[in-house]
Amino acid sequence: MFNQKLQKLGTEHSAIRELFEYGLARKKEIGEENVFDFSLGNPNVPAPACVTEELLRLIGEMPPEKLHAYSSAVGLKEVRAAIAQYIQSSFGVPMSEDLIFMTCGASASLVSVLSALLLPEEEVIVPAPYFPEYALFIEQAGGKMVPVPTDEKFHLDLHAIERAITERTKAILINSPNNPTGAVYTKGELEGLAALLERVNTTRKEPIFLLSDEPYRELCYGEKPTFPMVVYPHTVVLYSFSKVISLPGERIGYVAVSPACYHAQELFFAVRGAARYHGYVCAPTLFQRVVADCQGVTSDLEVYRRNRDLLYGALSDMGYSCTVPEGAFFLFVKALEPDAKAFCARAKKHELLLVPSDSFGTKGYVRISYCVKGETVERSLPAFRALFEEYNG
Ligand code: PLP
């Protein structure tokens, strides 16, 4: 007998992974170029040159026993110092390396921070639609996820957030640029959220924490997003290099606790403890060293911009209803029938692999992950047209 809950979780897979696996099998059957796989956020743009250069330099210059050695549990001191320096110079926040914890990507950051923060039954407000794994990560930490719908453009609805706050609210977890909608929260919006939290905090013993999950931070088509520590002190940033420099398989990211955060040092110790508890100590050392020198760099954002413009323009012209993504590499499109799963099943017949919005906590939409080759987008357009005509012909 095994843990039944976990066995079920492992048996089910996520809806996205299932579709991705289907896509792999289907490509073998009918040829890669004939399947339009928009399922996974697996960047198709190569990592920037600094990654390869730094890898080659490290392999050439460092003795292997040093290169591949354990780092301290929190990560290499010089790497954490480089990240603190980057945050300080880019965003003007006096960041300390002692409040940076290197992790195996945003997932490990989320699990560690949520486990560190949450007491049983405490609530985490999550604007919906949201990254599906949030539900699991909050549940495993013993907390309760409270989804709050965003507005019609998928931006924060501050009134709805205020209504959702209770005395059990421990944190609000935001993700901008957003997966699955591509929304990027404005400075004004974050200031509004900060003002709301500050106002509520005056009635509480402990503040509400702002958790900012930022694996798409630099993938923005317009203005750079505001760094949330600038507007609100009780902030924890969860960063990942998976998307921005196309390193999802290398599992590297970090947690940064704002020095101005309530009991920052104790919280940081709890994050360290949580990571230890979950076996997440010592993020890959080779890639700790690599990312230290590649901060603020992105993979070729123009590829994503071209895909975005082509897809958004063509789908809007065809008659689909979608909001233009301001960042990340996802287009969130209204399904052509109320049941997004049924719509995706019909899309699949046209070899279009789209993710229904149900697992993102919203009904009636699909997510198109356009971190694919430009020609895949171009070749997929007749299939999108045929699908539209099937409903409107
Ligand atoms: N958070 C969001 C919003 C994501 O989209 C993802 C991955 O798709 C993650 C976290 C997990 O990222 P990582 O690969 O760094 O664990």
Side-chain angles (χ1 to χ4, degrees):
M1 188 71 166
F2 306 109
N3 180 317
Q4 289 302 290
K5 197 163 123 185
L6 297 186
Q7 188 176 332
K8 184 164 175 284
L9 201 59
T11 310
E12 278 171 352
H13 297 300
S14 78
I16 303 174
R17 285 270 157 194
E18 209 163 285
L19 202 57
F20 175 68
E21 298 297 336
Y22 167 85
L24 291 181
R26 188 71 179 140
K27 282 174 193 168
K28 276 204 186 124
E29 263 172 56
I30 64 166
E32 193 153 338
E33 68 288 1
N34 298 316
V35 181
F36 311 115
D37 185 355
F38 296 108
S39 61
L40 211 60
N42 207 356
N44 201 275
V45 178
C50 65
V51 169
T52 319
E53 284 160 15
E54 199 47 20
L55 272 173
L56 291 175
R57 187 186 73 75
L58 288 164
I59 291 167
E61 288 178 10
M62 274 188 105
E65 67 280 12
K66 193 165 175 214
L67 189 59
H68 303 298
Y70 283 125
S71 70
S72 70
V74 286
L76 293 161
K77 190 171 171 57
E78 63 272 27
V79 174
R80 292 183 295 120
I83 290 170
Q85 174 57 34
Y86 173 75
I87 290 177
Q88 197 153 324
S89 58
S90 309
F91 310 117
V93 175
M95 193 64 218
S96 157
E97 74 200 48
D98 296 333
L99 293 174
I100 299 214
F101 186 91
M102 299 306 296
T103 64
C104 307
S107 306
S109 305
L110 282 158
V111 168
S112 306
V113 171
L114 289 163
S115 306
L117 269 181
L118 293 178
L119 303 180
E121 296 300 311
E122 283 187 330
E123 296 169 358
V124 181
I125 291 176
V126 177
Y130 51 79
F131 178 55
E133 300 304 271
Y134 289 166
L136 277 182
F137 297 160
I138 293 170
E139 187 195 317
Q140 69 76 35
K144 191 170 160 242
M145 184 170 85
V146 179
V148 172
T150 44
D151 69 14
E152 69 286 354
K153 291 231 170 331
F154 307 114
H155 280 255
L156 298 175
D157 179 342
L158 295 181
H159 294 297
I161 291 174
E162 183 162 10
R163 283 195 299 275
I165 293 175
T166 70
E167 69 222 12
R168 288 182 307 281
T169 305
K170 188 61 163 268
I172 169 160
L173 170 55
I174 59 169
N175 165 226
S176 166
N178 185 265
N179 174 9
T181 66
V184 178
Y185 302 154
T186 63
K187 181 156 195 240
E189 198 170 355
L190 290 178
E191 283 170 345
L193 176 63
L196 163 63
L197 297 180
E198 296 282 20
R199 182 156 47 79
V200 173
N201 288 346
T202 59
T203 65
R204 301 163 53 102
K205 272 222 299 272
E206 291 192 341
I208 296 176
F209 294 86
L210 176 61
L211 311 183
S212 182
D213 180 27
E214 307 184 356
Y216 305 92
R217 186 198 291 153
E218 287 85 6
L219 298 182
C220 264
Y221 306 109
E223 235 174 78
K224 286 206 172 113
T226 296
F227 193 61
M229 282 184 197
V230 173
V231 296
Y232 187 65
H234 313 297
T235 298
V236 181
V237 165
L238 307 99
Y239 190 75
S240 163
F241 295 89
S242 293
K243 315 290 178 164
V244 171
I245 53 171
S246 308
L247 294 179
E250 306 303 349
R251 315 307 302 136
I252 188 78
Y254 61 80
V255 171
V257 177
S258 170
C261 183
Y262 174 80
H263 290 203
Q265 191 60 67
E266 287 90 333
L267 174 55
F268 185 75
F269 287 143
V271 171
R272 280 176 66 163
R276 180 177 168 199
Y277 187 80
H278 289 287
Y280 281 139
V281 290
C282 178
T285 35
L286 177 57
F287 277 87
Q288 286 191 47
R289 292 183 203 281
V290 169
V291 298
D293 272 357
C294 297
Q295 291 182 79
V297 182
T298 65
S299 303
D300 188 356
L301 188 54
E302 285 313 302
V303 176
Y304 298 139
R305 188 193 297 278
R306 274 200 300 278
N307 283 354
R308 174 193 77 150
D309 292 348
L310 182 58
L311 208 49
Y312 173 74
L315 264 59
S316 304
D317 287 350
M318 284 175 206
Y320 287 96
S321 161
C322 33
T323 311
V324 63
E326 298 152 331
F329 38 57
F330 306 105
L331 182 66
F332 210 52
V333 182
K334 205 155 183 38
L336 297 176
E337 60 178 295
D339 182 348
K341 285 187 185 157
F343 176 67
C344 287
R346 280 173 81 168
K348 220 164 157 185
K349 298 210 172 100
H350 295 267
E351 310 302 344
L352 290 167
L353 306 188
L354 317 178
V355 182
S357 61
D358 303 65
S359 56
F360 302 111
T362 301
K363 292 206 180 299
Y365 287 82
V366 294
R367 187 191 74 174
I368 301 177
S369 182
Y370 57 81
C371 53
V372 297
K373 291 202 176 84
E375 61 249 39
T376 305
V377 175
E378 277 162 36
R379 289 173 54 89
S380 72
L381 297 181
F384 276 112
R385 186 176 298 283
L387 179 62
F388 190 83
E389 280 166 5
E390 209 176 291
Y391 284 89
N392 298 283

